[in-house]
Each structure stands twice: as C-alpha cells, then as structure tokens.
Amino acid sequence: MTKLLLLTHGCWGEELIKSAELVVGEIRDAEAFALEPEDALADYMEKIRAVIEKGKGQDILLVSDLNGGTTSNVAAVFSKTYENVSAVCGLGMEMLIAAEELREELSGKKLAKEVLSWVREKNRDLEE
C-alpha cells in the first residue's frame, strides 16, 4: 500500500488525519509533517527524506497544502529525486479521503493522477 505523507504549513495535517478518520475509519500508513516558522528548510526536508529512505521501495504519495508554497516545492523535489515518490497539491479532507480510498488499488503516478481527478470530479458535481 502507498504511504501517505502530508506536508503542511503548521500542524493541521495531523488534525486532518484525525478528522478524516471520523469519516472513513482508521487511516493506516499516513504521517503529517508540519512546517513551522522556526524550522530550517534543510531540517524539514531531512525529516521527510528519512521517512522516504526508510521505506525504500515502498510507493509514497506526498500531499502538500499550498501550490507554489514551500511544502509543494519540497514535494516536487522529492518526486523528481525518487522514482517511488509522487506528489499532489491542494490538501483538504476530500483529497485525503480520495487518497485513502484509492491507494488500495493504485500506486505511483496513477494514484496521484486519480486523486486529482477524483477531487476535480467532486467539485464539478458541486457546481452543477
């Protein structure tokens, strides 16, 4: 199963996992990485790199909160550096639930693409 790593500004990623678990039940193999104002970028990246290296060979989906922000830039670096790492941006409850439900059957870039498609489709449904 693909491991989920949530990259967020502040600690809301941890709370988002807890909130999503109220809807879908336990979310296994997911971890949140909070970027705080006092964190050095190198230290933040090293925490994430350590998890990626520890799970060498396991597919990992990095889900970041803000397109163009530090968290998405970090996710982009790791997705280009490691073959088993993919990244999506725009973290929210819907995206986390989509990733949780789809990672049983998909992995890698297919999972990333389908998570984005799923969220877009749900948002289109709201517009109609």
Side-chain angles (χ1 to χ4, degrees):
M1 180 190 321
T2 298
K3 184 173 187 71
L4 300 177
L5 303 183
L6 310 185
L7 282 55
T8 62
H9 291 84
C11 61
W12 71 277
E14 297 162 4
E15 295 303 320
L16 186 61
I17 292 171
K18 291 177 190 174
S19 295
E21 287 180 330
L22 294 173
V23 177
V24 297
E26 182 185 6
I27 297 176
R28 300 176 329 273
D29 217 7
E31 215 172 316
F33 291 85
L35 177 62
E36 300 292 347
E38 64 274 5
D39 290 340
L41 179 59
D43 294 339
Y44 183 70
M45 290 184 75
E46 188 51 42
K47 289 177 194 174
I48 298 163
R49 183 185 325 278
V51 172
I52 292 171
E53 290 288 335
K54 184 179 175 188
K56 205 70 157 176
Q58 179 183 19
D59 285 322
I60 296 172
L61 180 62
L62 301 176
V63 188
S64 60
D65 58 357
L66 181 64
N67 189 24
T70 303
T71 56
S72 68
N73 292 336
V74 167
V77 166
F78 286 123
S79 70
K80 299 232 183 287
T81 305
Y82 295 91
E83 238 179 79
N84 63 316
V85 175
S86 298
V88 295
C89 182
L91 178 62
M93 179 86 81
E94 276 187 320
M95 186 173 281
L96 179 55
I97 290 171
E100 169 63 13
E101 291 182 0
L102 294 168
R103 70 184 173 145
E104 292 286 334
E105 56 198 70
L106 300 171
S107 61
K109 298 201 184 317
K110 287 182 181 180
L111 173 61
K113 185 177 179 177
E114 193 59 33
V115 165
L116 291 174
S117 293
W118 194 87
V119 171
R120 283 186 193 122
E121 188 63 35
K122 293 294 180 189
N123 287 328
R124 245 183 263 139
D125 290 347
L126 290 175
E127 292 173 2
E128 295 176 353

